[in-house]
Amino acid sequence: MNSLCYYPKKRFTNCINTKQMKHLIIALLFLPMISFAQETEEQIKKTITHEWLTYSKAFELKDYNKIAEFFHYPVILSGKSYSSKKTVMETYKERREKKVQPGYKYSLSDEIKFIKISNELVIAEFYYSRYNAKYEKLFSGSSIGTYKKLDGKWKMSEYQSVGEQWIRK
């Protein structure tokens, strides 16, 4: 007989035939692969791009509390280590309000390049431009962010501005 029965005395009750058993075993073998599948490179790029664009919007809106949420702590910003959200918020407030180009209204991302080190570590290079309320470009620059995946979330552990070009009129 090509079946396995839970109750041998009851014929055809609660039985699984050999073909069904093979399908069940195959499904059980592939279940861990489906459940614990790694993110693809494209998924990682999409996630980090979304994080960067949300970070950029928070910068534009002067939402320093939101900005501080994009980092793992301690974080290195422009070569200096920060251990708390409070100090990051204070630093961003000072930079945003005192060092950003006069008339700055919003930023646009020009290009993002990725270097995948591992499934938990990615370096992203961001190219962006800043504009005023008249849609005139004030500034083009680039920065590098090191993203780490901890506790299932991609956040920056290091962020550094690397290239700046002021637009002269």
Side-chain angles (χ1 to χ4, degrees):
M1 183 172 179
N2 290 332
S3 67
L4 298 173
C5 295
Y6 298 113
Y7 301 100
K9 292 180 183 177
K10 295 182 181 179
R11 195 171 179 144
F12 304 114
T13 305
N14 298 324
C15 294
I16 300 174
N17 67 33
T18 308
K19 187 175 183 181
Q20 290 171 323
M21 182 58 77
K22 286 179 184 176
H23 290 171
L24 179 62
I25 290 171
I26 290 171
L28 291 173
L29 288 173
F30 285 106
L31 184 63
M33 291 181 204
I34 295 168
S35 298
F36 302 106
Q38 295 290 329
E39 286 179 290
T40 66
E41 193 165 332
E42 286 305 310
Q43 290 170 320
I44 292 170
K45 287 179 180 180
K46 184 177 178 181
T47 299
I48 291 174
T49 298
H50 174 75
E51 290 296 310
W52 164 255
L53 293 174
T54 307
Y55 160 86
S56 182
K57 188 66 171 178
F59 183 84
E60 175 184 318
L61 298 174
K62 300 181 184 180
D63 188 345
Y64 305 115
N65 188 50
K66 182 74 174 172
I67 289 169
E69 293 176 10
F70 290 96
F71 302 103
H72 286 296
Y73 293 90
V75 62
I76 298 172
L77 300 174
S78 299
K80 185 176 178 187
S81 179
Y82 296 86
S83 59
S84 73
K85 288 183 179 183
K86 183 181 177 192
T87 56
V88 167
M89 290 169 57
E90 291 168 355
T91 301
Y92 266 89
K93 184 175 182 174
E94 180 182 334
R95 288 181 185 175
R96 170 68 173 86
E97 294 181 10
K98 294 181 181 176
K99 296 183 180 180
V100 172
Q101 301 73 28
Y104 168 72
K105 181 74 175 168
Y106 66 96
S107 299
L108 292 178
S109 178
D110 298 325
E111 182 181 7
I112 303 174
K113 296 180 181 180
F114 299 92
I115 301 170
K116 182 180 172 189
I117 306 299
S118 71
N119 287 332
E120 291 81 32
L121 182 64
V122 173
I123 298 171
E125 188 173 1
F126 307 101
Y127 296 88
Y128 57 93
S129 297
R130 293 180 181 157
Y131 296 83
N132 64 18
K134 296 177 184 178
Y135 308 104
E136 298 169 329
K137 188 185 287 188
L138 302 172
F139 170 88
S140 289
S142 63
S143 56
I144 293 178
T146 301
Y147 279 83
K148 287 185 181 179
K149 187 175 185 180
L150 297 173
D151 301 324
K153 296 180 182 178
W154 285 99
K155 293 189 176 188
M156 284 186 274
S157 60
E158 186 172 357
Y159 185 70
Q160 173 76 44
S161 293
V162 289
E164 299 179 357
Q165 178 185 354
W166 288 80
I167 306 301
R168 305 206 188 270
K169 294 183 180 180

